[in-house]
Amino acid sequence: MLTSKEIENLLAKEEYAPIKRIKKKDLTDEQRQEVNTIESIVSFGEDIITLFDFLLDLKETLPTQKSFVDAGVNKMLSHLATHKPEIEVTPIMVEACKLRLTRTYMSKVIELHLEALVREELPQYKMILHPLIDSVMGIDMILETEAKRHYIHVTSNTPMAINMLKRKESRGGYRVGKAYIPYNRDFSGDLVLKYDTNQDSVSTKIINGFPLFNAEFVVWRIELADMSVSFGESLNVPYSKLDHFNDWMKTYIPKAV
């Protein structure tokens, strides 16, 4: 299990620098439409959902962004061939897959570093993590303090990312074979941790192009939310959002429970 400092030291190395990716402003209208075809697909399946954790276990260290993207592209193309055979994949769509994978990698790295910070700075609290909590509930982390259960989202501090988070609430579900099973997400009372993307700030430090949370900010934000009536869910609530998720899983995806 990597510490926050180990993650920071790895990311500072040259081989961990973000790879080059397409820029929408350089594309034609037709090419942008092809990119949007890839962007509009909600999920590329379990193999992509679990890929980062699989590589983390396989390599016993943090995979580079390049190795993650290389491993993920063929899985995304295979998913398209199986579930979206009507889509004729173009070279730009392949680049769009890579673009999406670079964002996924960055999110996973930020979340992994956040998990390490929480373990180190708030060891008295219980952290609940699972790939399906992320993909189905739309929650990056659940943290149980002495009195509350906090459902935590991690996103960049940009209007586009915040709007995407709002839209994400209505996009819950999971694909089993060719069937897509919807899930009713509820983000009310959730805690959103926002990082800055372009420069160091109170919340963020940038290492080799990757924004990571500052430990002091994470502790302050969680302790503030724990004192506020607007955030979190009582541990004594009769039927929690976590209970709802567990019941949904037992009903629709019992093998994953």
Side-chain angles (χ1 to χ4, degrees):
M1 194 174 291
L2 294 169
T3 67
S4 59
K5 186 54 67 177
E6 287 171 337
I7 295 169
E8 293 169 15
N9 290 340
L10 286 169
L11 288 175
K13 295 181 177 181
E14 183 178 351
E15 61 264 36
Y16 280 86
I19 65 173
K20 291 182 179 180
R21 53 188 191 172
I22 58 172
K23 298 179 180 178
K24 284 189 177 182
K25 66 181 181 64
D26 297 331
L27 303 178
T28 65
D29 289 343
E30 183 180 349
Q31 288 173 328
R32 276 193 287 270
Q33 195 166 1
E34 291 174 11
V35 171
N36 290 338
T37 297
I38 298 299
E39 297 286 1
S40 66
I41 298 171
V42 174
S43 173
F44 281 86
E46 183 72 11
D47 285 349
I48 293 297
I49 291 169
T50 59
L51 179 59
F52 184 84
D53 291 332
F54 171 78
L55 292 176
L56 194 63
D57 292 339
L58 179 68
K59 297 176 180 293
E60 297 183 339
T61 189
L62 183 67
T64 64
Q65 189 181 74
K66 183 180 185 305
S67 64
F68 176 79
V69 171
D70 288 347
V73 167
N74 285 339
K75 293 181 184 296
M76 291 179 75
L77 295 179
S78 176
H79 181 89
L80 286 173
T82 302
H83 300 289
K84 301 283 185 179
E86 70 279 8
I87 295 178
E88 183 179 348
V89 178
T90 66
I92 288 294
M93 287 182 180
V94 174
E95 292 303 311
C97 288
K98 294 179 182 178
L99 177 65
R100 185 158 170 167
L101 285 164
T102 61
R103 294 201 306 267
T104 299
Y105 177 87
M106 182 171 287
S107 296
K108 291 293 186 181
V109 165
I110 294 168
E111 291 162 18
L112 184 69
H113 182 262
L114 173 62
E115 292 161 19
L117 287 181
V118 172
R119 282 196 307 270
E120 294 158 10
E121 303 293 332
L122 300 167
Q124 69 274 31
Y125 297 151
K126 178 182 178 182
M127 186 165 42
I128 302 173
L129 305 164
H130 194 282
L132 291 178
I133 287 177
D134 185 354
S135 60
V136 176
M137 289 188 78
I139 303 295
D140 296 311
M141 175 191 298
I142 299 175
L143 189 66
E144 293 184 352
T145 65
E146 293 176 358
K148 286 185 178 182
R149 184 178 294 107
H150 292 285
Y151 300 88
I152 298 175
H153 305 269
V154 178
T155 190
S156 64
N157 191 19
T158 62
M160 181 180 294
I162 294 166
N163 285 334
M164 284 180 65
L165 180 60
K166 291 177 182 177
R167 293 198 299 271
K168 185 178 173 182
E169 187 172 9
S170 62
R171 295 172 62 178
Y174 188 75
R175 184 173 294 281
V176 180
K178 293 187 177 181
Y180 187 77
I181 305 168
Y183 181 86
N184 184 28
R185 290 175 173 175
D186 176 11
F187 291 173
S188 59
D190 290 1
L191 173 61
V192 180
L193 295 179
K194 304 172 190 174
Y195 57 85
D196 292 311
T197 57
N198 297 319
Q199 61 185 8
D200 291 353
S201 65
V202 171
S203 65
T204 314
K205 53 185 168 187
I206 308 292
I207 297 180
N208 202 9
F210 290 94
L212 303 174
F213 283 110
N214 286 316
E216 296 82 2
F217 170 79
V218 170
V219 172
W220 169 78
R221 193 68 189 86
I222 290 173
E223 289 182 345
L224 184 65
D226 215 36
M227 293 185 291
S228 171
V229 296
S230 301
F231 294 99
E233 175 185 78
S234 170
L235 294 180
N236 298 319
V237 69
Y239 191 72
S240 69
K241 288 193 275 190
L242 184 57
D243 290 332
H244 171 69
F245 169 75
N246 286 331
D247 286 346
W248 186 90
M249 289 288 294
K250 290 173 185 176
T251 302
Y252 296 106
I253 318 176
K255 290 182 180 179
V257 177

